[in-house]
Amino acid sequence: PGRGTPSLIWLSATTAFAIIGCTWALAIARYGGPDEPSHVIRAAATANGDFRGRPVPGLEPGYRQVAVAATFATGDPACFRHSETTTAACAVASNATDDVNVATAAGTAPPWYYVTVGGITRVLSDGHSVMSYRMASVLLCAAVLGYAMARAVGYRRGAWLLLALTPSSWFLFGVVGTSAIEIALIALALVEAIARLHPSPRPQSLARVTVPLAICLVLRPAALIDVAVVALVLIPTLHRPFTTRRVAALSLPIALAAIASLVWSRWTGLVVSDRRTADSDSLLSALWRSLRGIELTAHQAIGALGWNEFFAPFIAQVAWVAMLAFAAVWVVRNTPDRWWYVRWIALGLLLPTVVEVILHRRIGEIWQGRYSIPFAMAGVLYGARAPRPSHALMRGLVIAAACAEVLTLWHTLRRYMVGLDGSMTLHGAAWRPPLNPWLLLVVNAAGVAWLAAIALSSTADDSDGPPLRTLSLSSS
């Protein structure tokens, strides 16, 4: 793994990510992901050509009524989504295929992610099951992450990308929602931005950074923190003079994304408000509440699973925090940029607070930890800007990260099958995944081992010269 042509490495990494994502998709109970019912219904509607839906009297402006197969309106996760000890067996779904009208909270979100997932689903299946939409989302994210890994391997920094993925991000890869593709695209943008900090015989194109970021903004315009974290890495790489071509490569993709989002918002009559969560407190009160919530937000970005009702095993969270600490120490000791992590901490803690305070009278305190996952990943991935640690050290870190991922999958299976107060061996399960849970764990471990081998292939050579290779699909 990791030793063929650039295209073969991409294919190999994509396959590994797809295997891992499929095991997560099968291990998570139906609608076990955050807001997954709304995302699945929206994807099913766009697959049938319904892009905008219709406003629903009495519901918030973001809701739209669409027609989808009746099965998608069943299996409500409300009975288990707020209790880590309640199994998923309480949610009963039907297989009815007759069309019904149902409201989705994702009705005014840009349709591009849903069109892609819905289109892949309809090509590969009849589009009448939640699992088919999950698999389509997994394939989409795996392709982007596989490309990011191939690029990172080309820069001899593949292991850092694997270390950067938080336990919560692995969970999100297995469900339908815009968070997973956002994580994948920002991972790619960060890999390309950090690569610009290394000496190279040919300067890297700015478009390699800005295009993935622009695509992310088109799919989810609210991903403001993604712009900030990529800019935090990219700005030190920008050297004067600023030519017209460089300014265009930097600003044009973002400008096009902004225009696309504006056009969509005007067409759908987007209104940024939600009376259910909005509050009327003073700015000072909103600021204090938001500051008190920083610790929870950081915790969720690292380890929150499901609808934030349970977290990854403590040891898995500690493993990721250890990766972050190692990256920070390695950068401080081996690069001239000793203050980057100070800026990173300040921006990561304050930006969500600023957003919440500005919008608290419209939508309240709505920032959740999964919105900050790209920022958390940047904290570890930035370690790739320093000279590479020894192969033995990176191998130990990668093995620890791989074990943490498998442990988190087992923890997730336990939560849905027997509850977190149930059998450690999953005995007496009330809910079962489509495949044997122990088989899922074995396949998942094999997929992670495959991915780890790809990532570590770029650290086998202890020399730290120019990039071994670059993967280019089109002209820079």
Side-chain angles (χ1 to χ4, degrees):
R3 286 299 185 184
T5 64
S7 297
L8 185 59
I9 297 173
W10 180 19
L11 177 61
S12 182
T14 297
T15 303
F17 274 115
I19 290 171
I20 297 167
C22 286
T23 58
W24 278 97
L26 292 167
I28 299 170
R30 175 190 173 97
Y31 289 158
D35 301 321
E36 191 176 18
S38 293
H39 293 302
V40 171
I41 290 171
R42 181 72 193 285
T46 55
N48 292 329
D50 189 350
F51 292 88
R52 287 199 306 171
R54 297 159 296 284
V56 184
L59 294 182
E60 296 303 316
Y63 282 84
R64 288 292 188 272
Q65 178 179 289
V66 294
V68 295
T71 181
F72 297 120
T74 66
D76 190 348
C79 64
F80 69 81
R81 71 183 182 189
H82 295 307
S83 171
E84 63 182 19
T85 59
T86 303
T87 72
C90 63
V92 180
S94 77
N95 294 320
T97 58
D98 295 339
D99 282 354
V100 297
N101 291 321
V102 61
T104 169
T108 57
W112 319 120
Y113 166 79
Y114 305 102
V115 169
T116 305
V117 170
I120 295 173
T121 302
R122 294 304 294 268
V123 169
L124 301 179
S125 72
D126 60 7
H128 287 158
S129 73
V130 173
M131 190 60 66
S132 63
Y133 286 92
R134 281 187 177 179
M135 293 301 178
S137 180
V138 164
L139 291 176
L140 177 63
C141 294
V144 178
L145 283 170
Y147 184 60
M149 179 59 75
R151 294 291 292 175
V153 167
Y155 299 131
R156 293 177 175 171
R157 297 300 188 275
W160 285 104
L161 177 57
L162 182 56
L163 300 181
L165 296 172
T166 68
S168 52
S169 62
W170 289 114
F171 181 97
L172 292 170
F173 292 149
V175 298
V176 180
T178 53
S179 293
I181 191 62
E182 175 186 349
I183 292 168
L185 287 165
I186 298 307
L188 175 57
L190 288 171
V191 165
E192 297 292 357
I194 292 171
R196 292 174 56 83
L197 294 167
H198 294 284
S200 173
R202 185 181 66 179
Q204 298 298 312
S205 170
L206 279 172
R208 290 191 176 278
V209 181
T210 56
V211 169
L213 179 59
I215 295 173
C216 181
L217 291 174
V218 168
L219 299 180
R220 187 173 174 268
L224 297 176
I225 199 168
D226 299 336
V227 179
V229 69
V230 175
L232 193 64
V233 177
L234 182 62
I235 287 174
T237 73
L238 303 177
H239 304 293
R240 290 188 175 90
F242 288 111
T243 64
T244 302
R245 182 177 180 180
R246 182 174 297 179
V247 172
L250 183 63
S251 60
L252 184 59
I254 307 299
L256 292 176
I259 292 172
S261 298
L262 180 61
V263 169
W264 172 259
S265 299
R266 297 282 293 181
W267 188 44
T268 57
L270 177 64
V271 177
V272 183
S273 67
D274 193 328
R275 291 169 295 179
R276 301 168 303 168
T277 55
D279 64 65
S280 57
D281 291 347
S282 66
L283 288 177
L284 187 60
S285 296
L287 175 62
W288 175 240
R289 280 200 310 272
S290 184
L291 290 174
R292 286 188 302 173
I294 286 176
E295 181 181 359
L296 177 60
T297 297
H299 190 196
Q300 290 177 344
I302 296 171
L305 310 176
W307 293 70
N308 293 337
E309 82 274 14
F310 75 113
F311 286 78
F314 178 73
I315 190 172
Q317 298 181 59
V318 169
W320 187 88
V321 173
M323 307 297 174
L324 175 62
F326 171 74
V329 171
W330 192 253
V331 168
V332 170
R333 293 183 59 181
N334 295 280
T335 74
D337 192 353
R338 300 174 180 268
W339 294 100
W340 188 86
Y341 278 95
V342 175
R343 300 191 296 271
W344 175 79
I345 291 173
L347 188 65
L349 297 183
L350 295 180
L351 185 57
T353 294
V354 170
V355 173
E356 285 193 330
V357 170
I358 292 175
L359 298 176
H360 82 283
R361 291 183 178 174
R362 284 180 169 268
I363 54 179
E365 299 172 19
I366 45 76
W367 197 274
Q368 297 190 34
R370 66 179 181 273
Y371 305 150
S372 296
I373 290 176
F375 189 89
M377 290 195 316
V380 176
L381 198 52
Y382 196 71
R385 75 147 298 176
R388 288 177 299 144
S390 68
H391 181 67
L393 177 57
M394 293 306 290
R395 182 173 56 208
L397 293 175
V398 166
I399 290 173
C403 291
E405 188 274 341
V406 177
L407 180 62
T408 304
L409 180 63
W410 164 82
H411 188 71
T412 300
L413 282 164
R414 183 184 178 213
R415 181 262 175 273
Y416 291 118
M417 294 177 66
V418 297
L420 293 186
D421 59 347
S423 168
M424 301 282 285
T425 60
L426 312 180
H427 179 70
W431 176 88
R432 291 186 176 276
L435 293 180
N436 182 283
W438 297 107
L439 176 60
L440 283 177
L441 288 169
V442 170
V443 174
N444 177 268
V448 174
W450 184 348
L451 186 62
I454 297 171
L456 287 171
S457 67
S458 61
T459 66
D461 180 5
D462 288 336
S463 64
D464 199 10
L468 292 172
R469 61 176 77 88
T470 57
L471 178 66
S472 178
L473 300 183
S474 60
S475 171
S476 295

